[in-house]
Every structure is written in C-alpha cells, then in structure tokens.
Amino acid sequence: MSVGDAAAKERKILVAVDEGEESMYALTWCLTNVISPNSKDTLILLHAQAPRAAYTALDGTGYLFSTDIMSTMDKYHNDAADRLIEKAKNMCKDHVNDVKVETRVESGDPRDVICEMVQKLGVDVLVMGSHGYGWFKRAFLGSVSNHCAQNVKCPVLIVKKPKSNNLGK
Amino acid sequence: MSVGDAAAKERKILVAVDEGEESMYALTWCLTNVISPNSKDTLILLHAQAPRAAYTALDGTGYLFSTDIMSTMDKYHNDAADRLIEKAKNMCKDHVNDVKVETRVESGDPRDVICEMVQKLGVDVLVMGSHGYGWFKRAFLGSVSNHCAQNVKCPVLIVKKPKSNNLGK
C-alpha cells in the first residue's frame, strides 16, 4: 500500500483454494505479502467444487450407483470442501489477526466459477496458485490460472510454490 | 504485508514497462497496492528493447540503410527507452517517497529478457500489464504476460487497465 492510504482503502481480495499444496502456499504468500496491517481488506476464500454430474452415476460394471451411494459421495465431497475452507480460514487467523475473512463454496468448473465470482463480488485482486485443480484437466483444458488471467478484469496474482518452502526470500 | 514484519522484509519487485498505457497503469497499481510504506522494497523498472537486428538493414527498395541512418535509428530507440524509464521513475517518486528504485534497459525479446532478469536478479514479485509489447507479436507468439507467468518461478501479478481509469475501486 502506498504511504498514507493504507487504512483508507477497502479491497476485496479473492483467493481461489483447492486441495493442492500450491493454493495453500498462494494463500500464505498473499497473507504475508499482500494483506496490509490495519487495512480494511476483505479476504474471500473461494473453493470451486466439481458439480454432481462430474462423477458418473454408473460404476465400472455399468450398474447405476444407488441413491445411498450417490448421497454418500455428495456428503464426502461436501465434507472435503468444508475441511478445506476451514483449514484456509485457520491459516488466515494464524497469519493476520484483523483481516475480515469470507468463505464461499460454489459448484461448477473452477474456470467459470472463479471468473463469475470475481465479476459478481467486484473483486479487486484475484490470487491463485498456478497449477490448481489437477494435472488431468490442465493437460486437456489449459491451466485454470491461465484462463482466469485472460478472462477476469481485475489484477491477477499467480503464485508458484518454490521447491524450497520459503516465502519469497 | 502481514502484521509486524512490514519493516523487516526486503523484497525485489520487478515491473516490466513498455510504451503501452497498460504497463504504466500496472506500475501505478503496484505503487498503490503492493509497495508497503516504510518497507525495504526495491522496485526494479525493466524495459526490454528490441535488438538492432529486429529492424532490418534493408529499406523497402532493397537498398541497405547507410550507417548514418542505422545509427540515427539506434539513437531514436535508445532515446525513447530513456524517456520511458524516466517517466516511470517520476511516477514512482510521485506515488511513494521512500521506495528504492533501480532501472534497467535490456536488449532482446521481452519474453526472454523479463524471464532472465527475474532469475538473475532474484526477484520476489514480477508485475506487468497483460497486453504489453504490441498486438502483432502477441497474435503470433502469445502474450508476454502469459509466457512469463508460465516460465518465471516467482509470483506474477498481471494487471489489466480497466476501461474506467480508477485504481481498483
């Protein structure tokens, strides 16, 4: 922040979090390097969850999964998302005491969800890891970070996890 | 910066500047949103200049340009680079009084120059506009920002100039 206006600005900083280590590193980096002390920044933790249709209702033998199994799978995915968001929230508390944190779990392709949320919430900075959401989708559809950098209108901070686990220096 | 360590950290922040408005906007955004007051941040302003070989020694009629004309063209390019860097330095002074500013003009393809400098100087954050260095090269070679985001190891902040000229809010 520039001299004098640190306390005056209100920024919405959206951090896209997924299961990968790199997104948690991006969050830590953001907390250490972007969030200002005594600022009115709001940190929005967003997790995009694959929609129900993304895991097929057919098992390997061609039999339909029962409703019970489907609802168990739904519950597993929802619980995993909750744990992930909780972990990210705790990281925020550990690093910065006074930042306002909001959380969102949205269903859909991360590319679409992140771009939509940035637009809808009027986000000022989007922060994300460079290799989120798995190598398989990335190989076929291109990286989520690349897509978002090209499509959102606000500044995008793409953070890579270095091989040594230090924060910048 | 997180609480307590704003004064302790020393970060090298490299801003890639070119002739486009967007790179100047990226610099302003960086000065307003990234540089911390009372920090030991060093801002490195880098301009990558097309090498001599990039403008042909043949004119449209097939005649070789004379040495005089070539040296005039060199001088024009060098002067333009100097003016650009001077403008960027003045913007830094206008926004933040106490930040240390270094400047570099390097010859070569911006993609290579930026990635090499980030590595060589041990940069902590790379800041750049999303559409620098002209539409023609971008159309054929892909955007400079995209290339750098994929190839440098440090976090990359890609800033787009919004249609309305406000800084984030």
Side-chain angles (χ1 to χ4, degrees), chain B residues 79-116:
Chain B
D79 287 352
D82 289 346
R83 279 197 302 275
L84 182 68
I85 285 289
E86 199 57 35
K87 183 182 168 190
K89 268 177 77 174
N90 288 335
M91 283 175 68
C92 296
K93 281 186 201 160
D94 289 347
H95 276 81
V96 190
N97 285 323
D98 55 355
V99 71
K100 192 177 160 195
V101 179
E102 294 175 6
T103 62
R104 294 188 83 108
V105 177
E106 300 285 337
S107 184
D109 185 296
R111 287 163 190 76
D112 304 326
V113 168
I114 295 168
C115 292
E116 279 168 24

PDB file of all heavy atoms in Angstrom, chain B residues 79-116:
ATOM      1  N   ASP B  79      16.869   6.760 -27.103  1.00  0.00           N
ATOM      2  CA  ASP B  79      16.245   7.939 -26.502  1.00  0.00           C
ATOM      3  C   ASP B  79      14.837   7.614 -26.018  1.00  0.00           C
ATOM      4  O   ASP B  79      14.423   8.030 -24.936  1.00  0.00           O
ATOM      5  CB  ASP B  79      16.181   9.097 -27.514  1.00  0.00           C
ATOM      6  CG  ASP B  79      17.559   9.704 -27.754  1.00  0.00           C
ATOM      7  OD1 ASP B  79      18.502   9.319 -27.019  1.00  0.00           O
ATOM      8  OD2 ASP B  79      17.685  10.533 -28.671  1.00  0.00           O
ATOM      9  N   ALA B  80      14.097   6.875 -26.837  1.00  0.00           N
ATOM     10  CA  ALA B  80      12.718   6.508 -26.475  1.00  0.00           C
ATOM     11  C   ALA B  80      12.722   5.664 -25.198  1.00  0.00           C
ATOM     12  O   ALA B  80      11.894   5.865 -24.305  1.00  0.00           O
ATOM     13  CB  ALA B  80      12.063   5.732 -27.622  1.00  0.00           C
ATOM     14  N   ALA B  81      13.671   4.741 -25.100  1.00  0.00           N
ATOM     15  CA  ALA B  81      13.780   3.889 -23.907  1.00  0.00           C
ATOM     16  C   ALA B  81      14.106   4.736 -22.680  1.00  0.00           C
ATOM     17  O   ALA B  81      13.526   4.546 -21.609  1.00  0.00           O
ATOM     18  CB  ALA B  81      14.846   2.819 -24.123  1.00  0.00           C
ATOM     19  N   ASP B  82      15.036   5.694 -22.862  1.00  0.00           N
ATOM     20  CA  ASP B  82      15.411   6.568 -21.745  1.00  0.00           C
ATOM     21  C   ASP B  82      14.217   7.391 -21.267  1.00  0.00           C
ATOM     22  O   ASP B  82      13.986   7.542 -20.071  1.00  0.00           O
ATOM     23  CB  ASP B  82      16.551   7.520 -22.161  1.00  0.00           C
ATOM     24  CG  ASP B  82      17.866   6.777 -22.334  1.00  0.00           C
ATOM     25  OD1 ASP B  82      17.949   5.613 -21.878  1.00  0.00           O
ATOM     26  OD2 ASP B  82      18.790   7.343 -22.945  1.00  0.00           O
ATOM     27  N   ARG B  83      13.466   7.929 -22.229  1.00  0.00           N
ATOM     28  CA  ARG B  83      12.291   8.749 -21.868  1.00  0.00           C
ATOM     29  C   ARG B  83      11.266   7.906 -21.107  1.00  0.00           C
ATOM     30  O   ARG B  83      10.681   8.351 -20.130  1.00  0.00           O
ATOM     31  CB  ARG B  83      11.643   9.334 -23.129  1.00  0.00           C
ATOM     32  CG  ARG B  83      12.324  10.594 -23.665  1.00  0.00           C
ATOM     33  CD  ARG B  83      11.415  11.346 -24.627  1.00  0.00           C
ATOM     34  NE  ARG B  83      10.997  10.520 -25.756  1.00  0.00           N
ATOM     35  CZ  ARG B  83      11.714  10.351 -26.879  1.00  0.00           C
ATOM     36  NH1 ARG B  83      12.881  10.945 -27.007  1.00  0.00           N
ATOM     37  NH2 ARG B  83      11.273   9.590 -27.854  1.00  0.00           N
ATOM     38  N   LEU B  84      11.079   6.683 -21.580  1.00  0.00           N
ATOM     39  CA  LEU B  84      10.113   5.777 -20.949  1.00  0.00           C
ATOM     40  C   LEU B  84      10.506   5.474 -19.503  1.00  0.00           C
ATOM     41  O   LEU B  84       9.682   5.555 -18.584  1.00  0.00           O
ATOM     42  CB  LEU B  84      10.070   4.475 -21.760  1.00  0.00           C
ATOM     43  CG  LEU B  84       9.085   3.405 -21.313  1.00  0.00           C
ATOM     44  CD1 LEU B  84       7.660   3.876 -21.539  1.00  0.00           C
ATOM     45  CD2 LEU B  84       9.339   2.109 -22.072  1.00  0.00           C
ATOM     46  N   ILE B  85      11.762   5.158 -19.305  1.00  0.00           N
ATOM     47  CA  ILE B  85      12.255   4.823 -17.967  1.00  0.00           C
ATOM     48  C   ILE B  85      12.179   6.052 -17.056  1.00  0.00           C
ATOM     49  O   ILE B  85      11.817   5.940 -15.877  1.00  0.00           O
ATOM     50  CB  ILE B  85      13.702   4.272 -18.068  1.00  0.00           C
ATOM     51  CG1 ILE B  85      13.682   2.832 -18.610  1.00  0.00           C
ATOM     52  CG2 ILE B  85      14.423   4.339 -16.740  1.00  0.00           C
ATOM     53  CD1 ILE B  85      13.137   1.778 -17.642  1.00  0.00           C
ATOM     54  N   GLU B  86      12.490   7.221 -17.617  1.00  0.00           N
ATOM     55  CA  GLU B  86      12.426   8.465 -16.838  1.00  0.00           C
ATOM     56  C   GLU B  86      10.990   8.736 -16.391  1.00  0.00           C
ATOM     57  O   GLU B  86      10.746   9.091 -15.234  1.00  0.00           O
ATOM     58  CB  GLU B  86      12.965   9.622 -17.708  1.00  0.00           C
ATOM     59  CG  GLU B  86      13.380  10.857 -16.937  1.00  0.00           C
ATOM     60  CD  GLU B  86      14.439  10.581 -15.865  1.00  0.00           C
ATOM     61  OE1 GLU B  86      15.309   9.708 -16.081  1.00  0.00           O
ATOM     62  OE2 GLU B  86      14.357  11.225 -14.801  1.00  0.00           O
ATOM     63  N   LYS B  87      10.048   8.518 -17.315  1.00  0.00           N
ATOM     64  CA  LYS B  87       8.625   8.710 -16.999  1.00  0.00           C
ATOM     65  C   LYS B  87       8.194   7.763 -15.864  1.00  0.00           C
ATOM     66  O   LYS B  87       7.511   8.169 -14.927  1.00  0.00           O
ATOM     67  CB  LYS B  87       7.793   8.422 -18.264  1.00  0.00           C
ATOM     68  CG  LYS B  87       6.300   8.638 -18.122  1.00  0.00           C
ATOM     69  CD  LYS B  87       5.589   8.274 -19.427  1.00  0.00           C
ATOM     70  CE  LYS B  87       4.092   8.187 -19.243  1.00  0.00           C
ATOM     71  NZ  LYS B  87       3.423   7.615 -20.435  1.00  0.00           N
ATOM     72  N   ALA B  88       8.638   6.510 -15.967  1.00  0.00           N
ATOM     73  CA  ALA B  88       8.290   5.515 -14.944  1.00  0.00           C
ATOM     74  C   ALA B  88       8.906   5.896 -13.592  1.00  0.00           C
ATOM     75  O   ALA B  88       8.258   5.777 -12.549  1.00  0.00           O
ATOM     76  CB  ALA B  88       8.766   4.130 -15.389  1.00  0.00           C
ATOM     77  N   LYS B  89      10.152   6.372 -13.609  1.00  0.00           N
ATOM     78  CA  LYS B  89      10.814   6.792 -12.362  1.00  0.00           C
ATOM     79  C   LYS B  89      10.058   7.941 -11.705  1.00  0.00           C
ATOM     80  O   LYS B  89       9.867   7.960 -10.493  1.00  0.00           O
ATOM     81  CB  LYS B  89      12.260   7.239 -12.650  1.00  0.00           C
ATOM     82  CG  LYS B  89      13.271   6.138 -12.514  1.00  0.00           C
ATOM     83  CD  LYS B  89      14.645   6.597 -12.872  1.00  0.00           C
ATOM     84  CE  LYS B  89      15.329   7.422 -11.802  1.00  0.00           C
ATOM     85  NZ  LYS B  89      16.743   7.721 -12.175  1.00  0.00           N
ATOM     86  N   ASN B  90       9.633   8.895 -12.527  1.00  0.00           N
ATOM     87  CA  ASN B  90       8.878  10.035 -11.991  1.00  0.00           C
ATOM     88  C   ASN B  90       7.553   9.593 -11.379  1.00  0.00           C
ATOM     89  O   ASN B  90       7.125  10.128 -10.359  1.00  0.00           O
ATOM     90  CB  ASN B  90       8.630  11.074 -13.093  1.00  0.00           C
ATOM     91  CG  ASN B  90       9.912  11.809 -13.446  1.00  0.00           C
ATOM     92  OD1 ASN B  90      10.836  11.906 -12.631  1.00  0.00           O
ATOM     93  ND2 ASN B  90       9.988  12.317 -14.672  1.00  0.00           N
ATOM     94  N   MET B  91       6.933   8.594 -11.988  1.00  0.00           N
ATOM     95  CA  MET B  91       5.682   8.068 -11.425  1.00  0.00           C
ATOM     96  C   MET B  91       5.932   7.468 -10.044  1.00  0.00           C
ATOM     97  O   MET B  91       5.120   7.616  -9.137  1.00  0.00           O
ATOM     98  CB  MET B  91       5.092   7.014 -12.355  1.00  0.00           C
ATOM     99  CG  MET B  91       4.411   7.616 -13.559  1.00  0.00           C
ATOM    100  SD  MET B  91       3.850   6.352 -14.707  1.00  0.00           S
ATOM    101  CE  MET B  91       2.551   5.593 -13.753  1.00  0.00           C
ATOM    102  N   CYS B  92       7.062   6.796  -9.900  1.00  0.00           N
ATOM    103  CA  CYS B  92       7.409   6.205  -8.595  1.00  0.00           C
ATOM    104  C   CYS B  92       7.568   7.305  -7.551  1.00  0.00           C
ATOM    105  O   CYS B  92       7.044   7.194  -6.439  1.00  0.00           O
ATOM    106  CB  CYS B  92       8.705   5.403  -8.691  1.00  0.00           C
ATOM    107  SG  CYS B  92       8.569   3.989  -9.787  1.00  0.00           S
ATOM    108  N   LYS B  93       8.312   8.368  -7.925  1.00  0.00           N
ATOM    109  CA  LYS B  93       8.532   9.485  -6.991  1.00  0.00           C
ATOM    110  C   LYS B  93       7.206  10.122  -6.589  1.00  0.00           C
ATOM    111  O   LYS B  93       7.014  10.510  -5.449  1.00  0.00           O
ATOM    112  CB  LYS B  93       9.425  10.548  -7.647  1.00  0.00           C
ATOM    113  CG  LYS B  93      10.904  10.196  -7.635  1.00  0.00           C
ATOM    114  CD  LYS B  93      11.716  11.376  -8.170  1.00  0.00           C
ATOM    115  CE  LYS B  93      13.083  10.911  -8.658  1.00  0.00           C
ATOM    116  NZ  LYS B  93      13.694  11.881  -9.579  1.00  0.00           N
ATOM    117  N   ASP B  94       6.298  10.254  -7.562  1.00  0.00           N
ATOM    118  CA  ASP B  94       5.011  10.895  -7.276  1.00  0.00           C
ATOM    119  C   ASP B  94       4.180  10.082  -6.287  1.00  0.00           C
ATOM    120  O   ASP B  94       3.421  10.633  -5.500  1.00  0.00           O
ATOM    121  CB  ASP B  94       4.191  11.052  -8.578  1.00  0.00           C
ATOM    122  CG  ASP B  94       4.802  12.115  -9.491  1.00  0.00           C
ATOM    123  OD1 ASP B  94       5.673  12.861  -9.010  1.00  0.00           O
ATOM    124  OD2 ASP B  94       4.414  12.169 -10.672  1.00  0.00           O
ATOM    125  N   HIS B  95       4.302   8.753  -6.359  1.00  0.00           N
ATOM    126  CA  HIS B  95       3.435   7.902  -5.538  1.00  0.00           C
ATOM    127  C   HIS B  95       4.036   7.544  -4.185  1.00  0.00           C
ATOM    128  O   HIS B  95       3.347   7.537  -3.184  1.00  0.00           O
ATOM    129  CB  HIS B  95       3.098   6.609  -6.295  1.00  0.00           C
ATOM    130  CG  HIS B  95       1.948   6.767  -7.225  1.00  0.00           C
ATOM    131  ND1 HIS B  95       2.092   7.321  -8.467  1.00  0.00           N
ATOM    132  CD2 HIS B  95       0.634   6.469  -7.085  1.00  0.00           C
ATOM    133  CE1 HIS B  95       0.907   7.347  -9.070  1.00  0.00           C
ATOM    134  NE2 HIS B  95       0.014   6.835  -8.250  1.00  0.00           N
ATOM    135  N   VAL B  96       5.285   7.163  -4.191  1.00  0.00           N
ATOM    136  CA  VAL B  96       5.911   6.685  -2.948  1.00  0.00           C
ATOM    137  C   VAL B  96       7.262   7.376  -2.802  1.00  0.00           C
ATOM    138  O   VAL B  96       8.101   7.293  -3.695  1.00  0.00           O
ATOM    139  CB  VAL B  96       6.127   5.151  -2.976  1.00  0.00           C
ATOM    140  CG1 VAL B  96       6.536   4.656  -1.594  1.00  0.00           C
ATOM    141  CG2 VAL B  96       4.881   4.430  -3.439  1.00  0.00           C
ATOM    142  N   ASN B  97       7.449   8.044  -1.674  1.00  0.00           N
ATOM    143  CA  ASN B  97       8.689   8.795  -1.483  1.00  0.00           C
ATOM    144  C   ASN B  97       9.896   7.916  -1.187  1.00  0.00           C
ATOM    145  O   ASN B  97      10.989   8.156  -1.665  1.00  0.00           O
ATOM    146  CB  ASN B  97       8.535   9.786  -0.323  1.00  0.00           C
ATOM    147  CG  ASN B  97       7.694  10.976  -0.746  1.00  0.00           C
ATOM    148  OD1 ASN B  97       7.798  11.435  -1.878  1.00  0.00           O
ATOM    149  ND2 ASN B  97       6.844  11.441   0.158  1.00  0.00           N
ATOM    150  N   ASP B  98       9.666   6.898  -0.373  1.00  0.00           N
ATOM    151  CA  ASP B  98      10.809   6.229   0.238  1.00  0.00           C
ATOM    152  C   ASP B  98      11.196   4.899  -0.409  1.00  0.00           C
ATOM    153  O   ASP B  98      12.006   4.166   0.130  1.00  0.00           O
ATOM    154  CB  ASP B  98      10.553   6.025   1.748  1.00  0.00           C
ATOM    155  CG  ASP B  98       9.251   5.277   1.980  1.00  0.00           C
ATOM    156  OD1 ASP B  98       8.535   5.027   0.988  1.00  0.00           O
ATOM    157  OD2 ASP B  98       8.946   4.944   3.139  1.00  0.00           O
ATOM    158  N   VAL B  99      10.615   4.581  -1.552  1.00  0.00           N
ATOM    159  CA  VAL B  99      10.964   3.302  -2.169  1.00  0.00           C
ATOM    160  C   VAL B  99      12.247   3.456  -3.001  1.00  0.00           C
ATOM    161  O   VAL B  99      12.484   4.491  -3.624  1.00  0.00           O
ATOM    162  CB  VAL B  99       9.796   2.767  -3.044  1.00  0.00           C
ATOM    163  CG1 VAL B  99       9.611   3.592  -4.302  1.00  0.00           C
ATOM    164  CG2 VAL B  99      10.008   1.307  -3.393  1.00  0.00           C
ATOM    165  N   LYS B 100      13.073   2.430  -2.908  1.00  0.00           N
ATOM    166  CA  LYS B 100      14.323   2.431  -3.667  1.00  0.00           C
ATOM    167  C   LYS B 100      14.005   1.983  -5.102  1.00  0.00           C
ATOM    168  O   LYS B 100      13.383   0.938  -5.297  1.00  0.00           O
ATOM    169  CB  LYS B 100      15.284   1.448  -2.995  1.00  0.00           C
ATOM    170  CG  LYS B 100      16.707   1.526  -3.478  1.00  0.00           C
ATOM    171  CD  LYS B 100      17.560   0.546  -2.665  1.00  0.00           C
ATOM    172  CE  LYS B 100      18.836   0.205  -3.394  1.00  0.00           C
ATOM    173  NZ  LYS B 100      19.494  -0.979  -2.827  1.00  0.00           N
ATOM    174  N   VAL B 101      14.424   2.780  -6.075  1.00  0.00           N
ATOM    175  CA  VAL B 101      14.108   2.451  -7.470  1.00  0.00           C
ATOM    176  C   VAL B 101      15.393   2.192  -8.258  1.00  0.00           C
ATOM    177  O   VAL B 101      16.328   2.992  -8.209  1.00  0.00           O
ATOM    178  CB  VAL B 101      13.301   3.586  -8.145  1.00  0.00           C
ATOM    179  CG1 VAL B 101      12.992   3.243  -9.596  1.00  0.00           C
ATOM    180  CG2 VAL B 101      12.017   3.862  -7.384  1.00  0.00           C
ATOM    181  N   GLU B 102      15.445   1.078  -8.953  1.00  0.00           N
ATOM    182  CA  GLU B 102      16.537   0.789  -9.882  1.00  0.00           C
ATOM    183  C   GLU B 102      15.951   0.689 -11.282  1.00  0.00           C
ATOM    184  O   GLU B 102      14.801   0.291 -11.434  1.00  0.00           O
ATOM    185  CB  GLU B 102      17.218  -0.534  -9.518  1.00  0.00           C
ATOM    186  CG  GLU B 102      17.943  -0.483  -8.185  1.00  0.00           C
ATOM    187  CD  GLU B 102      18.505  -1.851  -7.792  1.00  0.00           C
ATOM    188  OE1 GLU B 102      18.426  -2.803  -8.600  1.00  0.00           O
ATOM    189  OE2 GLU B 102      19.006  -1.960  -6.664  1.00  0.00           O
ATOM    190  N   THR B 103      16.745   1.030 -12.272  1.00  0.00           N
ATOM    191  CA  THR B 103      16.224   0.944 -13.643  1.00  0.00           C
ATOM    192  C   THR B 103      17.163   0.110 -14.517  1.00  0.00           C
ATOM    193  O   THR B 103      18.378   0.105 -14.316  1.00  0.00           O
ATOM    194  CB  THR B 103      16.074   2.347 -14.281  1.00  0.00           C
ATOM    195  OG1 THR B 103      17.362   2.956 -14.343  1.00  0.00           O
ATOM    196  CG2 THR B 103      15.135   3.219 -13.479  1.00  0.00           C
ATOM    197  N   ARG B 104      16.577  -0.574 -15.457  1.00  0.00           N
ATOM    198  CA  ARG B 104      17.369  -1.379 -16.399  1.00  0.00           C
ATOM    199  C   ARG B 104      16.732  -1.314 -17.782  1.00  0.00           C
ATOM    200  O   ARG B 104      15.507  -1.448 -17.918  1.00  0.00           O
ATOM    201  CB  ARG B 104      17.415  -2.837 -15.952  1.00  0.00           C
ATOM    202  CG  ARG B 104      18.171  -3.050 -14.656  1.00  0.00           C
ATOM    203  CD  ARG B 104      18.338  -4.522 -14.404  1.00  0.00           C
ATOM    204  NE  ARG B 104      19.479  -5.046 -15.132  1.00  0.00           N
ATOM    205  CZ  ARG B 104      20.619  -5.408 -14.536  1.00  0.00           C
ATOM    206  NH1 ARG B 104      20.757  -5.316 -13.241  1.00  0.00           N
ATOM    207  NH2 ARG B 104      21.614  -5.882 -15.247  1.00  0.00           N
ATOM    208  N   VAL B 105      17.560  -1.104 -18.781  1.00  0.00           N
ATOM    209  CA  VAL B 105      17.102  -1.249 -20.166  1.00  0.00           C
ATOM    210  C   VAL B 105      17.927  -2.378 -20.771  1.00  0.00           C
ATOM    211  O   VAL B 105      19.159  -2.323 -20.773  1.00  0.00           O
ATOM    212  CB  VAL B 105      17.290   0.056 -20.980  1.00  0.00           C
ATOM    213  CG1 VAL B 105      16.881  -0.150 -22.427  1.00  0.00           C
ATOM    214  CG2 VAL B 105      16.480   1.189 -20.362  1.00  0.00           C
ATOM    215  N   GLU B 106      17.255  -3.414 -21.219  1.00  0.00           N
ATOM    216  CA  GLU B 106      17.966  -4.572 -21.763  1.00  0.00           C
ATOM    217  C   GLU B 106      17.509  -4.823 -23.196  1.00  0.00           C
ATOM    218  O   GLU B 106      16.348  -4.583 -23.535  1.00  0.00           O
ATOM    219  CB  GLU B 106      17.693  -5.823 -20.917  1.00  0.00           C
ATOM    220  CG  GLU B 106      18.117  -5.712 -19.458  1.00  0.00           C
ATOM    221  CD  GLU B 106      19.623  -5.806 -19.263  1.00  0.00           C
ATOM    222  OE1 GLU B 106      20.303  -6.377 -20.143  1.00  0.00           O
ATOM    223  OE2 GLU B 106      20.118  -5.301 -18.236  1.00  0.00           O
ATOM    224  N   SER B 107      18.400  -5.321 -23.989  1.00  0.00           N
ATOM    225  CA  SER B 107      18.091  -5.583 -25.380  1.00  0.00           C
ATOM    226  C   SER B 107      17.676  -7.042 -25.568  1.00  0.00           C
ATOM    227  O   SER B 107      18.328  -7.948 -25.053  1.00  0.00           O
ATOM    228  CB  SER B 107      19.344  -5.276 -26.211  1.00  0.00           C
ATOM    229  OG  SER B 107      19.065  -5.438 -27.574  1.00  0.00           O
ATOM    230  N   GLY B 108      16.577  -7.242 -26.280  1.00  0.00           N
ATOM    231  CA  GLY B 108      16.156  -8.614 -26.565  1.00  0.00           C
ATOM    232  C   GLY B 108      14.650  -8.753 -26.577  1.00  0.00           C
ATOM    233  O   GLY B 108      13.914  -7.794 -26.331  1.00  0.00           O
ATOM    234  N   ASP B 109      14.188  -9.936 -26.886  1.00  0.00           N
ATOM    235  CA  ASP B 109      12.762 -10.219 -26.858  1.00  0.00           C
ATOM    236  C   ASP B 109      12.261 -10.087 -25.427  1.00  0.00           C
ATOM    237  O   ASP B 109      12.840 -10.687 -24.518  1.00  0.00           O
ATOM    238  CB  ASP B 109      12.509 -11.644 -27.376  1.00  0.00           C
ATOM    239  CG  ASP B 109      11.028 -11.950 -27.485  1.00  0.00           C
ATOM    240  OD1 ASP B 109      10.339 -11.973 -26.446  1.00  0.00           O
ATOM    241  OD2 ASP B 109      10.554 -12.172 -28.607  1.00  0.00           O
ATOM    242  N   PRO B 110      11.186  -9.306 -25.231  1.00  0.00           N
ATOM    243  CA  PRO B 110      10.690  -9.094 -23.869  1.00  0.00           C
ATOM    244  C   PRO B 110      10.467 -10.394 -23.098  1.00  0.00           C
ATOM    245  O   PRO B 110      10.745 -10.465 -21.897  1.00  0.00           O
ATOM    246  CB  PRO B 110       9.372  -8.365 -24.089  1.00  0.00           C
ATOM    247  CG  PRO B 110       9.519  -7.699 -25.399  1.00  0.00           C
ATOM    248  CD  PRO B 110      10.408  -8.583 -26.223  1.00  0.00           C
ATOM    249  N   ARG B 111       9.959 -11.424 -23.780  1.00  0.00           N
ATOM    250  CA  ARG B 111       9.714 -12.707 -23.117  1.00  0.00           C
ATOM    251  C   ARG B 111      10.977 -13.233 -22.445  1.00  0.00           C
ATOM    252  O   ARG B 111      10.988 -13.613 -21.280  1.00  0.00           O
ATOM    253  CB  ARG B 111       9.236 -13.758 -24.130  1.00  0.00           C
ATOM    254  CG  ARG B 111       7.845 -13.555 -24.609  1.00  0.00           C
ATOM    255  CD  ARG B 111       7.577 -14.333 -25.879  1.00  0.00           C
ATOM    256  NE  ARG B 111       6.307 -13.930 -26.416  1.00  0.00           N
ATOM    257  CZ  ARG B 111       6.117 -12.780 -27.058  1.00  0.00           C
ATOM    258  NH1 ARG B 111       7.102 -11.940 -27.258  1.00  0.00           N
ATOM    259  NH2 ARG B 111       4.916 -12.474 -27.494  1.00  0.00           N
ATOM    260  N   ASP B 112      12.058 -13.238 -23.228  1.00  0.00           N
ATOM    261  CA  ASP B 112      13.320 -13.781 -22.719  1.00  0.00           C
ATOM    262  C   ASP B 112      13.943 -12.846 -21.688  1.00  0.00           C
ATOM    263  O   ASP B 112      14.418 -13.293 -20.640  1.00  0.00           O
ATOM    264  CB  ASP B 112      14.314 -13.996 -23.870  1.00  0.00           C
ATOM    265  CG  ASP B 112      13.714 -14.884 -24.951  1.00  0.00           C
ATOM    266  OD1 ASP B 112      12.932 -15.783 -24.592  1.00  0.00           O
ATOM    267  OD2 ASP B 112      14.022 -14.665 -26.134  1.00  0.00           O
ATOM    268  N   VAL B 113      13.933 -11.539 -22.023  1.00  0.00           N
ATOM    269  CA  VAL B 113      14.587 -10.561 -21.146  1.00  0.00           C
ATOM    270  C   VAL B 113      13.959 -10.590 -19.756  1.00  0.00           C
ATOM    271  O   VAL B 113      14.663 -10.642 -18.744  1.00  0.00           O
ATOM    272  CB  VAL B 113      14.486  -9.138 -21.751  1.00  0.00           C
ATOM    273  CG1 VAL B 113      14.877  -8.079 -20.737  1.00  0.00           C
ATOM    274  CG2 VAL B 113      15.361  -9.027 -22.992  1.00  0.00           C
ATOM    275  N   ILE B 114      12.619 -10.556 -19.705  1.00  0.00           N
ATOM    276  CA  ILE B 114      11.933 -10.490 -18.405  1.00  0.00           C
ATOM    277  C   ILE B 114      12.219 -11.750 -17.596  1.00  0.00           C
ATOM    278  O   ILE B 114      12.589 -11.678 -16.420  1.00  0.00           O
ATOM    279  CB  ILE B 114      10.414 -10.259 -18.593  1.00  0.00           C
ATOM    280  CG1 ILE B 114      10.183  -8.874 -19.220  1.00  0.00           C
ATOM    281  CG2 ILE B 114       9.671 -10.364 -17.268  1.00  0.00           C
ATOM    282  CD1 ILE B 114       8.763  -8.637 -19.727  1.00  0.00           C
ATOM    283  N   CYS B 115      12.072 -12.913 -18.239  1.00  0.00           N
ATOM    284  CA  CYS B 115      12.300 -14.168 -17.508  1.00  0.00           C
ATOM    285  C   CYS B 115      13.748 -14.255 -17.017  1.00  0.00           C
ATOM    286  O   CYS B 115      14.003 -14.673 -15.882  1.00  0.00           O
ATOM    287  CB  CYS B 115      11.961 -15.377 -18.385  1.00  0.00           C
ATOM    288  SG  CYS B 115      10.198 -15.508 -18.736  1.00  0.00           S
ATOM    289  N   GLU B 116      14.703 -13.844 -17.858  1.00  0.00           N
ATOM    290  CA  GLU B 116      16.119 -13.900 -17.472  1.00  0.00           C
ATOM    291  C   GLU B 116      16.423 -12.963 -16.309  1.00  0.00           C
ATOM    292  O   GLU B 116      17.132 -13.322 -15.378  1.00  0.00           O
ATOM    293  CB  GLU B 116      17.002 -13.502 -18.664  1.00  0.00           C
ATOM    294  CG  GLU B 116      17.226 -14.629 -19.660  1.00  0.00           C
ATOM    295  CD  GLU B 116      17.846 -14.134 -20.962  1.00  0.00           C
ATOM    296  OE1 GLU B 116      18.511 -13.070 -20.940  1.00  0.00           O
ATOM    297  OE2 GLU B 116      17.660 -14.809 -21.984  1.00  0.00           O
TER     298      GLU B 116
END
